[in-house]
Amino acid sequence: MEYRIEHDSMGEVKVPADVYWGAQTERSHENFVIGTETMPAEVIKAFSVLKKAAAMANHELGRLSDEKCELICRVCDEIYEGKLSRHFPLVVWQTGSGTQSNMNVNEVIANRGNELAGRKLLHPNDDVNMSQSSNDTFPTAMHIAAVVETREKLIPEVKALIATFERLEEENRGIIKCGRTHLQDAVPIAFSQEISGWRYMLLNCLEAIETSLKGVLRLALGGTAVGTGLNCPEGFAELAAQYISELTGYDFVSDENKFHALSSKDALCFSHGALKTLAVDMMKIANDVRWLASGPRLGLGEISIPANEPGSSIMPGKVNPTQCEAVTMAAVQVMGNDAAIGFAASQGNFELNVFMPVIIYDHLQSVRLLSDSIASFNKNCASGIRANRERMRDNLHRSLMLVTCLNPYIGYENAARVSKLAYEEDISLKEACLRLGFMDEAAFDEAFHPEEMI
């Protein structure tokens, strides 16, 4: 492999000749050989937006020349389009401020820009990092990535699943089935009502996610090293936020208190809490679906779900609720991520939180897992749910909890005696009620209408 010599404030470093990164990136690449998790591509993409906006703001404020601004913007566009992806090799487990990833971006932009210019024009610190510090750029990139990925990937998938449940509600109106509480038989419910419960969970989650993103729209950029804005010109923070909004299409603003923006990660912690809530409800929905589809002969068997692949390497013909299982595993990971983010967000010492790379890695993983698992569940399971009407009817009419409709006529304690006798003697509620002499046949038939109990 051929090398070139790069230098930074600590001296010279050998860097592979065919890469755009420089000395600081190379030092990190060599010093942090930890794990396989690299800085998410979404963060690098967010950095390209941030650096372009910063260059435009510095140019407008008269601090950056036309040529330098144009070069920085041109390279940022290449990064945004994914053309330079191999030049961002750093792992998540690096400095907790994300300094080395910020410098990775600065060095790539400078070296690629100089290549385009045909001469050494851009300096990674003086030009690309002008008016900035890693301490305000990395949290800004975190917020940009979180908002963009949540709005463009997750929210559309949640809305699509909501639409599927709306369709299933309409298709299943009029079907009455046994409700269940404590995993035991309960009073009747319409299947459409059960589905509506799933739909409203997602609607509430969507509202929570939208609400939680309001804090993430506030940006740390302009706080520089400790929140004082040292070496940052007046108006830069607001102007850069305005350009970021124009580039992304989302209403980012400059955080009015940069000391808070640098040291606290409460916005992302709160935002991820909404993601955890979605994971919790997706766990419940997926569990309901696989319980209702259990069997198919010896379980509940009240719905059928698509058979997508063989379920066993030894049992021929077995089909399992695999999409439900994928959703629940993703949900568990998101819940674990929420714990990690909470611990990390609590560690903001003095003027900086130094757990930022793991916070954004876990946050974006949660967005990705929820987006992908919901899309897969919708396409390969939920959209193909079909009610087993006969099984639902049989289960409904065998339920002892239908005795509840007799409470107004014979009282709670007598109704309990009817239920107990029916269970012990394995007879119908009607037969038990008549045998105990609480009602005659005509009165029972007049009172007993399971389909009207919803």
Side-chain angles (χ1 to χ4, degrees), residues 40 42-43 92 142-151 154 209 212-213 216 265-276 333-334 336-338 340-342 355-371:
E42 299 90 344
V43 173
V92 171
M142 291 167 71
H143 280 214
I144 294 171
V147 169
V148 170
E149 295 305 302
T150 301
R151 289 203 182 281
L154 179 58
I209 290 169
S212 75
L213 288 179
V216 191
K265 299 301 119 193
D266 52 7
L268 284 172
C269 189
F270 180 54
S271 175
H272 195 274
L275 300 182
K276 181 189 73 172
Q333 182 63 54
V334 173
N337 286 347
D338 193 68
I341 289 172
F355 285 73
M356 290 191 287
V358 71
I359 289 174
I360 194 58
Y361 179 84
D362 285 351
H363 196 289
L364 291 174
Q365 185 192 56
S366 293
V367 171
R368 193 180 312 113
L369 286 174
L370 286 168
S371 302

Side-chain angles (χ1 to χ4, degrees), residues 196-217:
S196 76
W198 303 339
R199 179 169 62 86
Y200 265 79
M201 289 176 202
L202 298 181
L203 286 170
N204 285 336
C205 287
L206 203 56
E207 182 179 0
I209 290 169
E210 292 281 7
T211 299
S212 75
L213 288 179
K214 293 177 182 177
V216 191
L217 288 167

Side-chain angles (χ1 to χ4, degrees), residues 251-266:
D251 296 328
F252 289 101
V253 296
S254 177
D255 196 314
E256 64 181 22
N257 190 304
K258 298 299 189 293
F259 307 104
H260 159 261
L262 268 61
S263 62
S264 173
K265 299 301 119 193
D266 52 7

Side-chain angles (χ1 to χ4, degrees), residues 87-128:
H87 300 280
F88 301 98
L90 300 187
V91 296
V92 171
W93 320 105
Q94 54 169 282
T95 177
S97 61
T99 298
Q100 289 139 359
S101 281
N102 178 48
M103 285 308 304
N104 184 189
V105 175
N106 290 335
E107 290 174 345
V108 169
I109 292 174
N111 286 329
R112 172 58 176 157
N114 291 336
E115 181 181 69
L116 292 171
R119 68 187 196 281
K120 195 163 186 177
L121 181 67
L122 295 176
H123 188 280
N125 298 82
D126 296 337
D127 299 311
V128 186

